[in-house]
Amino acid sequence: VTVSIKDIARAMNISYSTVSRALNNSPRVKAETRQQIQQLAATMGYLPSAVARSLVTRRTNTLGIVVTKITDLFFAEVIQGIEEAALSYGYSIILTNSAGQPEYELAAIQSLRERRVDGIILVAACASTESKQRLFSQPLETPIVIINNVHQEHIGFSVETDNLQGGCIATQHLLDLGHRRIAYIAGPVSEWDSVERQQGYVQTLQAAGVVVDSALMIRGDNLPAGGFQAMHQLLALPTPPSAIFCYNDVTALGAMRAAYSAGKSVPQDISIVGFDDISLAAYFEPPLTTVAQAKLEMGEKAVQMVLDLLAGQPVMEKSVLPSRLIVRASSQAFR
Amino acid sequence: VTVSIKDIARAMNISYSTVSRALNNSPRVKAETRQQIQQLAATMGYLPSAVARSLVTRRTNTLGIVVTKITDLFFAEVIQGIEEAALSYGYSIILTNSAGQPEYELAAIQSLRERRVDGIILVAACASTESKQRLFSQPLETPIVIINNVHQEHIGFSVETDNLQGGCIATQHLLDLGHRRIAYIAGPVSEWDSVERQQGYVQTLQAAGVVVDSALMIRGDNLPAGGFQAMHQLLALPTPPSAIFCYNDVTALGAMRAAYSAGKSVPQDISIVGFDDISLAAYFEPPLTTVAQAKLEMGEKAVQMVLDLLAGQPVMEKSVLPSRLIVRASSQAFR
DNA sequence: TTGTAAGCGTTATCAG
DNA sequence: CTGATAACGCTTACAA
């Protein structure tokens, strides 16, 4: 049913290489015949086969992306950045989901390689350090770029937010407001970005001469539920904190919910600062003060790196994007 | 650099068709040689080429999906459902973004067809009725299934939520709570699902003998901003509503924000009901009463339909999934 | 400017 | 059980 260049060549009694040239706007074909060919192709409903083309060109114009969770608003925005950038370069993206499981991630990468994607972007890689090392050690393999590398060791190519700086500005903001008893609700332990943000938090406190209380550092997860639970623990403390810096915005959302359910109000009783600046954060009640990550830019940058890698151009191993504080209503001066 | 079956055939001095069989676990090859071949393939780092295979099998085991906006939490969850179902059938998905622009959508579909995807799922199609008609009229083309068809006319295959029913139960809930002056904040006019929800709203009001006031039906959009603006208009009315049914959860979020900024509280002064039940809705302040759509199931169902279509099995043109009311704190009895 | 032919890495159809 | 060999639909030297 599908019409191929041979069909249209036959219909015009010419060789199919000429058809191929005409369709690719090669100058090596008379303008007139090109016209005719293109017209006939259109009327015959010809659709070039990207798979046949890929087989010979050894390029699929496709980027694989592996994400731990599609429904995370932060990742979704990063993916949007990737998709837009990819499209602008004529690339499509194959989206796969690792559900945060290293085995799935590796399986996904394998599958993408079988599909001969030109490059792979890992959004928050979850595989172990060793397996990542293996991924990058293979020579001449599909280029891989990791967004928000979750491990301490720097491996391969990555683009990430300056989490340390983010942790610093968030904490400094709270200090500037007069808070002294400031808590940190972390992400999952496995996430290195949470550790970095926490380091920024600790450093900033220390620099201000505020004693760092380990009881004020509580683990959450990537969901509101984690923030909710953590906040309950914090409120049960003999001396609860007056301000809280959260791993991310949804953690902050959960924390605020817990505060309300405990009869506390934000920011009157307790100030909250998030991280990410997801699109809904400005509409939370109260609108959330947060540290914005350059989500779209991260996606763009990652695509650029992959493409540069593919083109054999020199690429910096690590691209760090600054974050910036966005002050809204969830934080106020300590009274 | 890539090793092919020919390479491993050469290395073992056998024909490459045997290698192919062994790798595909064909019974038509001696168990022993199969063992050897598979082992050698592994040590040589052989990775089958899906593109070569696709060229001959005429199957890519790939589904194309076109979505209007990736960062919409509702769509994201639908996509997750699609991805999971696709994976379970051994399919990968190519994700493209139409940004709500019909031309982009058509271009995306074209691109997916060039890539020879086995089927296409449109998440909230935005193309015009005529162009959709054309899409479906072509015989033996790539099967297409539309999730949340945004047009009135029923075209092709689709899976959607029973929006009318959803509008009914939301409105009935508010009526049951004693509200009589109930508003509807709609989505974009172009979205048929919003119209259907509104019909459910109107019908339910009429059935209860409540006069339908057109001043209480205001257009929003797909964002909190739309809900915010609409709410401001409603609050400026001589007799503002005591309850509001919103097109979706983010609209509701924007509406609540507007209520707060006007000094009103939810649900004491005004009850709010959303639609979708996005994952964050339970953590809004107050937790949002909403009509849940079976998001993952929609994705699953769409994949199943595409695959059935592909297999030539009989498929119902329209699959309608029920919605259900989830009562949380944003709605309370009229006082 | 056009045609011929090789080849991309598989699967699949024949024979042997 | 195994081996030739012809596709699949295209690009791309190389010839004409």
Side-chain angles (χ1 to χ4, degrees):
Chain A
V1 198
T2 339
V3 18
S4 74
I5 52 172
K6 292 196 181 178
D7 296 322
I8 111 163
R10 208 171 301 134
M12 292 185 66
N13 242 327
I14 56 178
S15 81
Y16 62 86
S17 46
T18 302
V19 177
S20 173
R21 288 190 203 100
L23 262 16
N24 290 319
N25 286 310
S26 158
R28 303 167 50 76
V29 52
K30 196 172 21 163
E32 194 190 328
T33 44
R34 184 194 318 167
Q35 274 289 331
Q36 299 178 346
I37 292 176
Q38 292 187 343
Q39 188 162 330
L40 182 59
T43 67
M44 287 180 76
Y46 170 74
L47 253 194
S49 164
V51 2
R53 177 183 301 145
S54 294
L55 188 57
V56 30
T57 61
R58 300 156 149 292
R59 283 303 196 84
T60 53
N61 286 296
T62 296
L63 260 27
I65 119 163
V66 186
V67 63
T68 49
K69 186 158 152 257
I70 308 174
T71 54
D72 183 306
L73 228 23
F74 168 69
F75 294 148
E77 293 189 38
V78 170
I79 293 172
Q80 190 188 343
I82 295 177
E83 206 273 339
E84 285 173 3
L87 182 65
S88 76
Y89 289 112
Y91 280 74
S92 291
I93 66 174
I94 296 188
L95 184 70
T96 59
N97 183 203
S98 69
Q101 313 240 283
E103 324 89 80
Y104 288 4
E105 184 174 83
L106 259 8
I109 291 174
Q110 166 110 351
S111 162
L112 291 171
R113 281 184 166 158
E114 290 191 2
R115 293 194 137 79
R116 296 297 190 262
V117 295
D118 296 332
I120 295 177
I121 295 174
L122 265 34
V123 182
C126 56
S128 69
T129 305
E130 315 91 69
S131 48
K132 272 201 276 180
Q133 221 130 25
R134 207 169 331 124
L135 282 184
F136 286 107
S137 64
Q138 297 172 21
L140 289 170
E141 283 285 3
T142 327
I144 297 187
V145 169
I146 302 183
I147 290 179
N148 259 19
N149 199 351
V150 293
H151 291 289
Q152 176 167 15
E153 310 79 17
H154 182 66
I155 300 169
F157 299 89
S158 66
V159 15
E160 41 198 272
T161 290
D162 191 337
N163 289 298
L164 187 74
Q165 174 235 6
C168 290
I169 59 180
T171 310
Q172 191 60 52
H173 167 66
L174 261 8
L175 284 170
D176 290 347
L177 287 174
H179 294 280
R180 284 302 172 267
R181 206 157 161 70
I182 303 172
Y184 177 64
I185 298 181
V189 266
S190 59
E191 313 266 349
W192 182 245
D193 53 0
S194 174
V195 176
E196 285 186 330
R197 289 167 202 176
Q198 183 165 349
Q199 286 174 351
Y201 155 86
V202 169
Q203 288 179 15
T204 306
L205 288 185
Q206 288 175 334
V210 173
V211 45
V212 175
D213 184 347
S214 66
L216 292 184
M217 297 185 280
I218 300 201
R219 173 152 28 125
D221 53 26
N222 258 322
L223 302 166
F228 185 84
Q229 269 213 316
M231 180 60 126
H232 265 313
Q233 290 181 50
L234 288 172
L235 291 176
L237 251 33
T239 320
S242 68
I244 299 176
F245 169 39
C246 299
Y247 168 59
N248 65 9
D249 290 349
V250 294
T251 298
L253 184 64
M256 293 200 292
R257 178 100 289 288
Y260 291 132
S261 74
K264 303 284 183 185
S265 61
V266 179
Q268 291 76 16
D269 297 321
I270 193 157
S271 284
I272 304 269
V273 174
F275 208 106
D276 284 354
D277 191 34
I278 58 177
S279 61
L280 298 184
Y283 289 89
F284 285 176
E285 174 54 29
L288 187 67
T289 293
T290 191
V291 177
Q293 296 199 61
K295 300 170 281 288
L296 266 63
E297 289 81 350
M298 294 178 89
E300 273 172 35
K301 184 70 191 171
V303 170
Q304 252 169 42
M305 285 173 73
V306 168
L307 263 27
D308 284 349
L309 246 16
L310 207 55
Q313 284 170 24
V315 175
M316 277 201 312
E317 284 228 320
K318 194 170 184 169
S319 173
V320 178
L321 276 55
S323 59
R324 69 179 212 284
L325 184 74
I326 297 192
V327 178
R328 287 196 275 247
S330 68
S331 55
Q332 76 170 29
F334 178 68
R335 23 104 260 137
Chain B
V1 199
T2 337
V3 19
S4 75
I5 52 172
K6 291 196 181 176
D7 296 321
I8 112 161
R10 208 172 300 133
M12 293 186 67
N13 242 327
I14 55 178
S15 80
Y16 62 85
S17 41
T18 302
V19 176
S20 174
R21 287 188 204 102
L23 261 17
N24 290 319
N25 287 310
S26 157
R28 302 167 49 77
V29 53
K30 197 172 20 165
E32 195 190 327
T33 44
R34 183 192 321 167
Q35 273 289 331
Q36 298 177 346
I37 293 175
Q38 292 187 341
Q39 188 161 332
L40 182 60
T43 67
M44 288 180 75
Y46 170 75
L47 253 194
S49 165
V51 3
R53 177 182 301 144
S54 293
L55 188 57
V56 29
T57 60
R58 300 156 150 293
R59 283 301 195 87
T60 53
N61 285 296
T62 295
L63 259 29
I65 117 162
V66 185
V67 63
T68 50
K69 186 159 152 258
I70 308 175
T71 53
D72 182 305
L73 228 26
F74 168 69
F75 293 149
E77 293 189 37
V78 170
I79 293 172
Q80 190 189 341
I82 294 176
E83 206 272 341
E84 285 173 3
L87 182 66
S88 76
Y89 289 112
Y91 280 74
S92 291
I93 66 175
I94 296 188
L95 184 70
T96 59
N97 183 203
S98 69
Q101 312 239 281
E103 324 88 82
Y104 288 4
E105 183 174 84
L106 259 8
I109 291 174
Q110 167 111 351
S111 161
L112 291 172
R113 281 184 166 156
E114 289 191 3
R115 294 194 136 81
R116 297 297 191 261
V117 295
D118 296 333
I120 294 177
I121 295 174
L122 264 35
V123 183
C126 56
S128 69
T129 305
E130 316 90 70
S131 48
K132 273 200 277 181
Q133 222 132 25
R134 206 167 334 121
L135 282 184
F136 287 107
S137 66
Q138 296 172 21
L140 289 171
E141 283 286 3
T142 327
I144 296 186
V145 168
I146 302 183
I147 290 180
N148 258 21
N149 199 351
V150 292
H151 291 289
Q152 176 167 15
E153 311 79 19
H154 182 67
I155 301 169
F157 299 89
S158 66
V159 14
E160 40 199 274
T161 290
D162 192 337
N163 289 299
L164 187 74
Q165 174 236 5
C168 290
I169 58 180
T171 310
Q172 190 61 52
H173 168 66
L174 259 10
L175 284 170
D176 290 348
L177 288 174
H179 294 279
R180 284 302 171 268
R181 207 157 161 71
I182 302 172
Y184 177 65
I185 299 181
V189 267
S190 59
E191 312 268 347
W192 182 244
D193 52 0
S194 173
V195 176
E196 285 186 331
R197 288 168 203 175
Q198 183 165 349
Q199 286 174 351
Y201 155 86
V202 169
Q203 288 178 15
T204 306
L205 287 185
Q206 289 175 333
V210 173
V211 45
V212 176
D213 184 348
S214 65
L216 293 184
M217 298 185 281
I218 300 201
R219 173 150 30 123
D221 53 26
N222 258 321
L223 301 166
F228 185 85
Q229 269 214 315
M231 180 61 126
H232 265 311
Q233 290 181 49
L234 289 172
L235 291 176
L237 252 31
T239 322
S242 68
I244 299 176
F245 168 39
C246 299
Y247 168 59
N248 65 10
D249 290 349
V250 294
T251 297
L253 183 64
M256 295 201 290
R257 179 100 288 287
Y260 291 132
S261 74
K264 304 286 184 184
S265 61
V266 178
Q268 291 76 17
D269 297 322
I270 192 157
S271 285
I272 304 269
V273 174
F275 208 105
D276 285 354
D277 191 34
I278 59 177
S279 61
L280 297 184
Y283 288 89
F284 285 176
E285 173 56 29
L288 187 66
T289 294
T290 191
V291 177
Q293 297 199 61
K295 300 170 280 289
L296 266 63
E297 289 81 349
M298 293 179 89
E300 273 173 35
K301 185 70 191 172
V303 171
Q304 251 169 43
M305 284 173 74
V306 169
L307 264 28
D308 284 349
L309 246 16
L310 208 56
Q313 284 170 24
V315 175
M316 278 202 311
E317 284 228 321
K318 193 170 185 169
S319 173
V320 178
L321 276 54
S323 59
R324 68 178 212 287
L325 184 73
I326 297 191
V327 178
R328 288 196 275 247
S330 68
S331 56
Q332 75 169 30
F334 178 69
R335 22 108 256 143

